[in-house]
């Protein structure tokens, strides 16, 4: 079946540090890939997406590149802020065939001032 | 506010009681999804509607769970004879088919969730 494995947390960083959260996937079709973020007390929000190999999704200083050869979609940000403290979820969907999102377990990131 | 809304936001019930949650999707979205999220885990798919038709149900959706989407607008999720293991956040999402980079994708917009606590 389709599944997502992401780096376990929690991750604690200082402001302006570099953040990487690893995400790898297994899929029986050609997935679209997503990163969702859940800020404290809020719902899931789409952070960025990539729909085909070598696409780079980016938003709010975060980036992730769809690597089909390594089945990966690692999330990166060059300089984190306290406001980036949240839970980050990697997810995939197989368009046209299966519509459900398959999520990783989530990675809690805490950024300290 | 034109996002996905869910009601109630919190529900506390006693074991054995029935509960019903409501989801109002973004108005032009024809697809609606229910997920369940337990503490420390990512959301898990429960069921999916396209318009009023329920097209897929997870094995997680036992006989005690039923979901409806009359007229293809709002949806309800009912849990009968609740058990303590049903305690979780129940998330609703909606989507409309789109294209990006020449490929179809399925961007789902999530509501704030209903947190269920079964005592």
């Amino acid at each position: 079946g389709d599944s997502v494995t992401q780096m376990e947390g929690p991750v604690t960083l200082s402001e302006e540090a570099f953040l990487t959260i690893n995400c790898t996937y297994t899929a029986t079709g050609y997935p679209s890939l997503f990163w969702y973020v859940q800020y404290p007390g809020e719902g899931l929000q789409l952070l960025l997406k990539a729909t085909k190999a070598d696409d780079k999704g980016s938003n709010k200083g975060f980036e992730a590149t769809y690597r089909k050869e390594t089945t990966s979609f690692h999330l990166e940000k060059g300089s984190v802020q306290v406001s980036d403290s949240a839970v980050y979820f990697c997810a995939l969907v197989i368009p046209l065939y299966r519509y459900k999102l398959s999520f990783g377990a989530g990675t809690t990131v805490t950024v300290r001032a | 506010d034109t996002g996905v809304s869910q009601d109630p936001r919190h529900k506390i019930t006693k074991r054995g009681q029935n509960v019903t949650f409501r989801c109002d999707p973004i108005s032009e979205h024809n697809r609606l999804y229910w997920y369940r999220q337990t503490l420390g885990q990512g959301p898990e798919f429960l069921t999916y509607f396209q318009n009023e038709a329920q097209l897929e149900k997870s094995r997680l959706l036992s006989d005690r769970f039923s979901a409806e989407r009359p007229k293809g607008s709002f949806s309800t999720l009912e849990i009968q004879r609740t058990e303590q293991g049903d305690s979780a956040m129940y998330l609703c999402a909606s989507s409309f088919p789109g294209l990006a980079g020449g490929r179809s994708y399925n961007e789902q917009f999530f509501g704030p969730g209903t947190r269920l606590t079964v005592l």
Side-chain angles (χ1 to χ4, degrees):
Chain A
D2 305 329
S3 66
V4 174
T5 302
Q6 62 181 101
M7 186 174 84
E8 290 187 13
V11 174
T12 302
L13 302 164
S14 298
E15 249 186 336
E16 301 183 1
F18 184 86
L19 171 67
T20 298
I21 304 176
N22 290 340
C23 170
T24 57
Y25 68 88
T26 302
T28 52
Y30 191 165
S32 295
L33 302 175
F34 304 87
W35 277 99
Y36 279 84
V37 60
Q38 191 169 37
Y39 297 105
E42 298 185 17
L44 278 169
Q45 301 174 25
L46 179 66
L47 181 59
L48 53 83
K49 66 178 183 288
T51 61
K52 63 183 191 295
D54 300 325
D55 269 1
K56 178 183 284 188
S58 61
N59 186 27
K60 298 182 180 180
F62 289 89
E63 293 183 339
T65 300
Y66 189 144
R67 300 290 187 199
K68 195 173 182 184
E69 64 276 14
T70 55
T71 62
S72 66
F73 192 55
H74 304 321
L75 182 69
E76 296 181 337
K77 185 172 186 181
S79 177
V80 293
Q81 305 300 313
V82 172
S83 58
D84 295 322
S85 298
V87 183
Y88 294 83
F89 295 93
C90 186
L92 69 82
V93 71
I94 311 293
L96 301 181
Y97 296 101
R98 292 180 287 281
Y99 299 101
K100 62 180 181 180
L101 280 164
S102 296
F103 286 87
T107 302
T108 301
V109 173
T110 302
V111 180
R112 295 182 174 168
Chain B
D1 184 20
T2 57
V4 178
S5 62
Q6 293 187 245
D7 184 69
R9 295 290 303 274
H10 303 274
K11 179 71 176 178
I12 300 173
T13 191
K14 293 183 179 178
R15 188 176 56 182
Q17 298 295 304
N18 298 345
V19 295
T20 300
F21 309 141
R22 178 180 170 123
C23 170
D24 286 273
I26 294 171
S27 59
E28 62 267 28
H29 287 184
N30 63 341
R31 296 174 179 169
L32 187 146
Y33 314 79
W34 286 97
Y35 293 84
R36 181 171 68 187
Q37 185 178 16
T38 54
L39 198 62
Q41 298 298 317
E44 297 175 291
F45 171 80
L46 292 178
T47 190
Y48 153 64
F49 290 84
Q50 181 156 313
N51 299 312
E52 66 276 8
Q54 188 174 20
L55 297 185
E56 187 174 348
K57 292 196 295 185
S58 163
R59 285 171 291 180
L60 292 174
L61 216 64
S62 75
D63 291 345
R64 296 185 297 105
F65 288 71
S66 62
E68 295 182 343
R69 193 184 182 197
K71 303 178 183 179
S73 56
F74 71 92
S75 176
T76 58
L77 177 68
E78 181 184 14
I79 309 174
Q80 296 181 327
R81 305 181 304 282
T82 52
E83 301 173 356
Q84 287 183 326
D86 297 331
S87 295
M89 177 76 86
Y90 289 84
L91 300 171
C92 178
S94 69
S95 73
F96 192 83
L99 282 174
R103 293 195 72 226
S104 170
Y105 73 99
N106 190 26
E107 180 177 341
Q108 297 180 23
F109 294 82
F110 283 80
T114 295
R115 181 168 296 284
L116 173 66
T117 302
V118 181
L119 301 176

